[in-house]
Structure formats: C-alpha cells, structure tokens
Amino acid sequence: AQSVTQPDIHITVSEGASLELRCNYSYGATPYLFWYVQSPGQGLQLLLKYFSGDTLVQGIKGFEAEFKRSQSSFNLRKPSVHWSDAAEYFCAVGAEGYQKVTFGTGTKLQVIP
Amino acid sequence: EAGVAQSPRYKIIEKRQSVAFWCNPISGHATLYWYQQILGQGPKLLIQFQNNGVVDDSQLPKDRFSAERLKGVDSTLKIQPAKLEDSAVYLCASSRGGRVSTEAFFGQGTRLTVV
C-alpha cells in the first residue's frame, strides 16, 4: 500500500527566507507524486506533480520539488517565501490506473515579517 | 471556467441526524471524487465516480454514508445517522479523466460539525 509521511506538522519562516518542506513516500513501483496547497477556507490547489523524467519539477508560485528515488523523498522548495505563502501544504502519492491518491497529514506554514 | 461548486459551506447538526452535501463539478469533467478531511489529517478518498458509475468506494462507511451521481453531473453525499467522528471538511473534486495523471480540481469544501 502507498503511504506518505510529512514529518513537520508546523514550520515558521521569515518572509524572504528559503523554504523546504519534507515529504517521504512509500510505494513499490514508480510513484506519481504531488504537492498541493490549501489556504484557509479553500480547497486544495495543485502546485506541481512528478510522473517521470527530470527529477527537478517546477510548479506554480515559484515552487519546485526534487524527486530522489534513493531517499524516497519529494521535498518542496522555494528560494524566497512571501507572506501569501502561509497555508497548509500536502504531499500526495498516486498509483497507476485510476486516481488512487494518498495524502500526507500536511505541513502548516507560518510566515513572519 | 467555473470551478467546482459545493454547498452548503458550513453545517452543524446533532448526532444521529442526517445531512446531505451537494457538488457541481466543472463542466465536462467525467470523474468526481468525494474526500473527507478530518482536522489535522490529509484528505481521504471516500468515493470516486466515473460518469455516473462508482469506480472506488472502498473507504466509504456504507452503513451510514451514501453517494450518488445521477446523470453523471451533480453529486450528493449523505450521512445518516451522523456520528461525532464525522465532523470534518468534505471536499468534492473533479477531473477530465480518472487516471492519476489527470489533474483534479477541488471545491472549497463543506465543514460539518456534529454535536
């Protein structure tokens, strides 16, 4: 069975600082990996996804993620955080075939001035 | 393009009462999902429809939860009777196809509080 671990429940960074959110997955075959963002009172929005090819994936809002098979990781990064990035971030892993996507428990990002 | 619409946004009910949520997916999207998001957890898939057929309902508590998607468009999710542990945000999502590579678009959700 597929699973996702987001070890950080809550992260605080200063505006302008760099950000890295950790994600570790467990899946036997090549995974489909996603990062979603959820702002308060909103649904989830897809930031980026990885299926195959280049292991460094660019997404919206200046985010990127790197797939490392040897570490079973798919960490999300942003070089300079903006106050509007404060939200909850979910990593998810999918299986081939129909959309069986398993979400992690999320990391809540707080941005301080 | 209009997004996924859900109603109501908030609902408070007493345990053992029934409740229904409504979802209108993005036009042309064949696949519709209902997720349950309990506070502090990630969304959990309850049921997936492809047009008006059920693809996956393995995590739907069928003794109290039911869902339908008549005519392959709108969908309703019902809970009867509700329990305290059903308090959660119920998210509806839709996508053009049912494969994992197809992006799913989420609605704002319905926050259910069972007291």
Side-chain angles (χ1 to χ4, degrees):
Chain A
Q2 59 201 36
S3 66
V4 176
T5 302
Q6 293 182 249
D8 304 305
I9 297 173
H10 190 274
I11 283 184
T12 300
V13 299
S14 299
E15 191 169 14
S18 63
L19 171 70
E20 182 168 26
L21 302 182
R22 296 184 291 166
C23 172
N24 292 96
Y25 68 90
S26 173
Y27 183 62
T30 299
Y32 290 68
L33 294 162
F34 310 83
W35 274 101
Y36 285 86
V37 61
Q38 186 176 34
S39 299
Q42 302 297 314
L44 282 79
Q45 181 183 21
L46 181 66
L47 284 176
L48 47 81
K49 58 188 177 184
Y50 171 79
F51 295 156
S52 64
D54 193 347
T55 57
L56 185 62
V57 180
Q58 301 298 321
I60 62 171
K61 304 185 180 186
F63 286 92
E64 67 178 25
E66 186 171 13
F67 171 62
K68 294 185 177 180
R69 184 186 298 276
S70 61
Q71 299 177 20
S72 297
S73 69
F74 189 58
N75 295 349
L76 182 71
R77 300 194 295 249
K78 187 170 185 178
S80 178
V81 169
H82 188 262
W83 63 267
S84 59
D85 294 324
E88 191 155 21
Y89 292 80
F90 292 92
C91 182
V93 61
E96 287 196 20
Y98 281 96
Q99 183 123 342
K100 293 182 180 293
V101 175
T102 300
F103 286 84
T105 52
T107 298
K108 189 164 290 187
L109 174 66
Q110 181 182 10
V111 180
I112 57 177
Chain B
E1 181 179 69
V4 176
Q6 291 188 246
S7 67
R9 288 295 311 278
Y10 306 92
K11 190 74 176 178
I12 301 174
I13 62 171
E14 296 182 348
K15 60 184 179 183
R16 292 187 289 273
Q17 285 187 325
S18 63
V19 64
F21 312 128
W22 173 82
C23 174
N24 185 21
I26 293 173
S27 177
H29 281 195
T31 308
L32 185 146
Y33 316 82
W34 283 102
Y35 285 86
Q36 180 192 57
Q37 186 177 16
I38 294 174
L39 186 64
Q41 300 181 19
K44 181 183 81 171
L45 180 68
L46 292 177
I47 189 167
Q48 176 183 344
F49 292 96
Q50 184 73 14
N51 296 307
N52 60 350
V54 176
V55 171
D56 184 353
D57 63 356
S58 57
Q59 298 190 96
L60 185 74
K62 299 180 185 62
D63 58 332
R64 297 184 300 106
F65 286 64
S66 65
E68 60 182 9
R69 191 184 183 196
L70 299 176
K71 301 180 182 179
V73 183
D74 294 5
S75 177
T76 57
L77 176 69
K78 297 179 182 178
I79 307 175
Q80 181 179 11
K83 293 185 175 181
L84 296 177
E85 59 260 36
D86 298 331
S87 295
V89 175
Y90 291 84
L91 295 167
C92 179
S94 71
S95 65
R96 290 196 179 278
R99 303 197 71 83
V100 70
S101 55
T102 309
E103 181 176 353
F105 295 84
F106 286 78
Q108 292 181 299
T110 295
R111 181 177 297 277
L112 173 67
T113 303
V114 183
V115 298

